[in-house]
mmCIF file of all heavy atoms in Angstrom:
data_model
loop_
_atom_site.group_PDB
_atom_site.id
_atom_site.type_symbol
_atom_site.label_atom_id
_atom_site.label_comp_id
_atom_site.label_asym_id
_atom_site.label_seq_id
_atom_site.Cartn_x
_atom_site.Cartn_y
_atom_site.Cartn_z
ATOM 1 N N THR A 1 -56.467 -6.236 47.918
ATOM 2 C CA THR A 1 -54.981 -6.190 48.117
ATOM 3 C C THR A 1 -54.385 -6.479 46.812
ATOM 4 O O THR A 1 -54.764 -7.391 46.137
ATOM 5 C CB THR A 1 -54.507 -7.321 49.109
ATOM 6 O OG1 THR A 1 -55.167 -8.446 48.692
ATOM 7 C CG2 THR A 1 -54.890 -6.982 50.569
ATOM 8 N N THR A 2 -53.469 -5.669 46.464
ATOM 9 C CA THR A 2 -52.641 -5.989 45.278
ATOM 10 C C THR A 2 -51.253 -6.491 45.802
ATOM 11 O O THR A 2 -51.036 -6.575 47.023
ATOM 12 C CB THR A 2 -52.329 -4.770 44.295
ATOM 13 O OG1 THR A 2 -51.708 -3.748 45.063
ATOM 14 C CG2 THR A 2 -53.657 -4.289 43.775
ATOM 15 N N GLY A 3 -50.416 -6.970 44.937
ATOM 16 C CA GLY A 3 -49.204 -7.580 45.418
ATOM 17 C C GLY A 3 -49.482 -8.928 45.976
ATOM 18 O O GLY A 3 -50.332 -9.710 45.409
ATOM 19 N N GLN A 4 -49.040 -9.325 47.106
ATOM 20 C CA GLN A 4 -49.240 -10.601 47.679
ATOM 21 C C GLN A 4 -50.573 -10.643 48.378
ATOM 22 O O GLN A 4 -50.619 -9.895 49.452
ATOM 23 C CB GLN A 4 -48.070 -10.901 48.597
ATOM 24 C CG GLN A 4 -47.815 -12.441 48.944
ATOM 25 C CD GLN A 4 -47.750 -13.355 47.699
ATOM 26 O OE1 GLN A 4 -47.285 -12.922 46.635
ATOM 27 N NE2 GLN A 4 -48.067 -14.500 47.883
ATOM 28 N N PRO A 5 -51.574 -11.331 48.030
ATOM 29 C CA PRO A 5 -52.787 -11.256 48.768
ATOM 30 C C PRO A 5 -52.705 -12.122 49.982
ATOM 31 O O PRO A 5 -51.957 -13.018 50.193
ATOM 32 C CB PRO A 5 -53.805 -11.963 47.775
ATOM 33 C CG PRO A 5 -52.967 -12.917 47.040
ATOM 34 C CD PRO A 5 -51.607 -12.366 46.930
ATOM 35 N N LYS A 6 -53.623 -11.743 50.977
ATOM 36 C CA LYS A 6 -53.699 -12.470 52.290
ATOM 37 C C LYS A 6 -54.701 -13.602 52.162
ATOM 38 O O LYS A 6 -55.894 -13.254 52.029
ATOM 39 C CB LYS A 6 -54.150 -11.468 53.335
ATOM 40 C CG LYS A 6 -53.115 -10.909 54.110
ATOM 41 C CD LYS A 6 -53.746 -10.075 55.321
ATOM 42 C CE LYS A 6 -52.887 -9.006 55.872
ATOM 43 N NZ LYS A 6 -53.638 -8.163 56.797
ATOM 44 N N GLY A 7 -54.359 -14.800 52.186
ATOM 45 C CA GLY A 7 -55.237 -15.946 52.137
ATOM 46 C C GLY A 7 -55.659 -16.362 53.512
ATOM 47 O O GLY A 7 -54.882 -17.159 54.108
ATOM 48 N N VAL A 8 -56.878 -15.959 53.903
ATOM 49 C CA VAL A 8 -57.296 -16.484 55.255
ATOM 50 C C VAL A 8 -57.769 -17.916 55.031
ATOM 51 O O VAL A 8 -58.479 -18.258 54.103
ATOM 52 C CB VAL A 8 -58.601 -15.545 55.600
ATOM 53 C CG1 VAL A 8 -59.311 -16.261 56.745
ATOM 54 C CG2 VAL A 8 -58.098 -14.130 55.958
ATOM 55 N N ILE A 9 -57.343 -18.703 55.999
ATOM 56 C CA ILE A 9 -57.786 -20.160 55.927
ATOM 57 C C ILE A 9 -58.680 -20.519 57.102
ATOM 58 O O ILE A 9 -58.765 -19.789 58.142
ATOM 59 C CB ILE A 9 -56.632 -21.194 55.785
ATOM 60 C CG1 ILE A 9 -55.806 -21.139 56.971
ATOM 61 C CG2 ILE A 9 -55.842 -20.981 54.527
ATOM 62 C CD1 ILE A 9 -54.685 -22.230 56.994
ATOM 63 N N ARG A 10 -59.538 -21.454 56.828
ATOM 64 C CA ARG A 10 -60.511 -21.909 57.876
ATOM 65 C C ARG A 10 -60.328 -23.410 58.010
ATOM 66 O O ARG A 10 -60.331 -24.086 57.044
ATOM 67 C CB ARG A 10 -61.964 -21.656 57.252
ATOM 68 C CG ARG A 10 -63.017 -21.542 58.406
ATOM 69 C CD ARG A 10 -62.983 -20.124 59.062
ATOM 70 N NE ARG A 10 -63.389 -19.062 58.242
ATOM 71 C CZ ARG A 10 -62.850 -17.814 58.411
ATOM 72 N NH1 ARG A 10 -62.017 -17.479 59.323
ATOM 73 N NH2 ARG A 10 -63.217 -16.819 57.641
ATOM 74 N N HIS A 11 -60.108 -23.775 59.309
ATOM 75 C CA HIS A 11 -59.939 -25.236 59.529
ATOM 76 C C HIS A 11 -61.369 -25.925 59.588
ATOM 77 O O HIS A 11 -62.446 -25.258 60.026
ATOM 78 C CB HIS A 11 -59.271 -25.581 60.845
ATOM 79 C CG HIS A 11 -57.752 -25.380 60.686
ATOM 80 N ND1 HIS A 11 -56.870 -25.458 61.635
ATOM 81 C CD2 HIS A 11 -57.006 -25.273 59.479
ATOM 82 C CE1 HIS A 11 -55.643 -25.272 61.251
ATOM 83 N NE2 HIS A 11 -55.668 -25.183 59.963
ATOM 84 N N THR A 12 -61.502 -27.182 59.049
ATOM 85 C CA THR A 12 -62.741 -27.909 58.920
ATOM 86 C C THR A 12 -63.598 -27.953 60.196
ATOM 87 O O THR A 12 -64.708 -27.572 60.317
ATOM 88 C CB THR A 12 -62.468 -29.229 58.300
ATOM 89 O OG1 THR A 12 -61.841 -28.971 57.040
ATOM 90 C CG2 THR A 12 -63.751 -29.928 58.035
ATOM 91 N N ALA A 13 -62.971 -28.569 61.302
ATOM 92 C CA ALA A 13 -63.745 -28.921 62.541
ATOM 93 C C ALA A 13 -64.249 -27.618 63.145
ATOM 94 O O ALA A 13 -65.425 -27.504 63.632
ATOM 95 C CB ALA A 13 -63.031 -29.761 63.377
ATOM 96 N N GLY A 14 -63.315 -26.672 63.343
ATOM 97 C CA GLY A 14 -63.671 -25.487 64.089
ATOM 98 C C GLY A 14 -64.832 -24.696 63.374
ATOM 99 O O GLY A 14 -65.772 -24.207 64.021
ATOM 100 N N GLN A 15 -64.741 -24.667 62.077
ATOM 101 C CA GLN A 15 -65.814 -23.930 61.304
ATOM 102 C C GLN A 15 -67.201 -24.669 61.509
ATOM 103 O O GLN A 15 -68.169 -24.061 61.721
ATOM 104 C CB GLN A 15 -65.478 -24.032 59.702
ATOM 105 C CG GLN A 15 -66.564 -23.666 58.849
ATOM 106 C CD GLN A 15 -66.380 -23.536 57.484
ATOM 107 O OE1 GLN A 15 -66.118 -22.398 56.913
ATOM 108 N NE2 GLN A 15 -66.366 -24.655 56.739
ATOM 109 N N LEU A 16 -67.221 -25.975 61.422
ATOM 110 C CA LEU A 16 -68.417 -26.749 61.639
ATOM 111 C C LEU A 16 -69.016 -26.480 63.031
ATOM 112 O O LEU A 16 -70.294 -26.134 63.122
ATOM 113 C CB LEU A 16 -68.177 -28.293 61.518
ATOM 114 C CG LEU A 16 -68.010 -28.832 60.129
ATOM 115 C CD1 LEU A 16 -67.338 -30.208 60.124
ATOM 116 C CD2 LEU A 16 -69.388 -28.846 59.376
ATOM 117 N N VAL A 17 -68.248 -26.575 64.073
ATOM 118 C CA VAL A 17 -68.795 -26.370 65.407
ATOM 119 C C VAL A 17 -69.241 -24.872 65.673
ATOM 120 O O VAL A 17 -70.389 -24.681 66.197
ATOM 121 C CB VAL A 17 -67.762 -26.764 66.486
ATOM 122 C CG1 VAL A 17 -68.176 -26.293 67.836
ATOM 123 C CG2 VAL A 17 -67.352 -28.254 66.394
ATOM 124 N N ALA A 18 -68.400 -23.967 65.180
ATOM 125 C CA ALA A 18 -68.780 -22.577 65.436
ATOM 126 C C ALA A 18 -69.949 -22.149 64.714
ATOM 127 O O ALA A 18 -70.923 -21.478 65.252
ATOM 128 C CB ALA A 18 -67.600 -21.692 65.126
ATOM 129 N N LEU A 19 -70.062 -22.395 63.376
ATOM 130 C CA LEU A 19 -71.169 -21.947 62.531
ATOM 131 C C LEU A 19 -72.512 -22.582 63.042
ATOM 132 O O LEU A 19 -73.483 -21.993 63.088
ATOM 133 C CB LEU A 19 -70.936 -22.240 61.055
ATOM 134 C CG LEU A 19 -69.774 -21.419 60.434
ATOM 135 C CD1 LEU A 19 -69.649 -21.749 58.967
ATOM 136 C CD2 LEU A 19 -70.028 -19.908 60.684
ATOM 137 N N ASN A 20 -72.411 -23.820 63.323
ATOM 138 C CA ASN A 20 -73.629 -24.528 63.807
ATOM 139 C C ASN A 20 -74.122 -23.940 65.099
ATOM 140 O O ASN A 20 -75.330 -23.673 65.327
ATOM 141 C CB ASN A 20 -73.275 -26.038 64.048
ATOM 142 C CG ASN A 20 -74.530 -26.824 64.398
ATOM 143 O OD1 ASN A 20 -75.443 -26.896 63.657
ATOM 144 N ND2 ASN A 20 -74.559 -27.478 65.612
ATOM 145 N N TRP A 21 -73.191 -23.523 66.032
ATOM 146 C CA TRP A 21 -73.560 -22.856 67.244
ATOM 147 C C TRP A 21 -74.189 -21.563 66.975
ATOM 148 O O TRP A 21 -75.136 -21.160 67.654
ATOM 149 C CB TRP A 21 -72.293 -22.693 68.136
ATOM 150 C CG TRP A 21 -72.669 -22.120 69.477
ATOM 151 C CD1 TRP A 21 -73.011 -22.771 70.638
ATOM 152 C CD2 TRP A 21 -72.582 -20.722 69.965
ATOM 153 N NE1 TRP A 21 -73.244 -21.959 71.654
ATOM 154 C CE2 TRP A 21 -73.088 -20.672 71.264
ATOM 155 C CE3 TRP A 21 -72.416 -19.563 69.152
ATOM 156 C CZ2 TRP A 21 -73.159 -19.510 71.977
ATOM 157 C CZ3 TRP A 21 -72.492 -18.343 69.906
ATOM 158 C CH2 TRP A 21 -72.917 -18.375 71.346
ATOM 159 N N THR A 22 -73.752 -20.770 66.026
ATOM 160 C CA THR A 22 -74.247 -19.418 65.802
ATOM 161 C C THR A 22 -75.673 -19.374 65.281
ATOM 162 O O THR A 22 -76.422 -18.548 65.478
ATOM 163 C CB THR A 22 -73.365 -18.629 64.850
ATOM 164 O OG1 THR A 22 -73.337 -19.264 63.500
ATOM 165 C CG2 THR A 22 -71.947 -18.564 65.294
ATOM 166 N N MET A 23 -76.035 -20.434 64.395
ATOM 167 C CA MET A 23 -77.368 -20.379 63.819
ATOM 168 C C MET A 23 -78.512 -20.235 64.755
ATOM 169 O O MET A 23 -79.392 -19.530 64.566
ATOM 170 C CB MET A 23 -77.558 -21.623 62.827
ATOM 171 C CG MET A 23 -76.672 -21.658 61.693
ATOM 172 S SD MET A 23 -76.553 -20.129 60.638
ATOM 173 C CE MET A 23 -78.312 -20.059 60.074
ATOM 174 N N LYS A 24 -78.430 -21.025 65.863
ATOM 175 C CA LYS A 24 -79.520 -20.840 66.834
ATOM 176 C C LYS A 24 -79.207 -19.754 67.805
ATOM 177 O O LYS A 24 -80.061 -18.838 68.087
ATOM 178 C CB LYS A 24 -79.598 -22.184 67.747
ATOM 179 C CG LYS A 24 -80.700 -22.075 68.842
ATOM 180 C CD LYS A 24 -82.019 -21.711 68.219
ATOM 181 C CE LYS A 24 -82.987 -21.483 69.369
ATOM 182 N NZ LYS A 24 -84.220 -20.807 68.884
#
């Protein structure tokens, strides 16, 4: 993206729970 970029953010707790669940 040129111009104003889209900054996707990730919240800490949700990321921890979801990623840990996906690994197995």
Side-chain angles (χ1 to χ4, degrees):
T1 48
T2 57
Q4 198 57 24
K6 264 190 202 168
V8 168
I9 61 174
R10 202 78 68 212
H11 281 172
T12 300
Q15 166 175 264
L16 282 163
V17 173
L19 293 183
N20 187 59
W21 184 88
T22 64
M23 292 309 296
K24 176 60 187 165

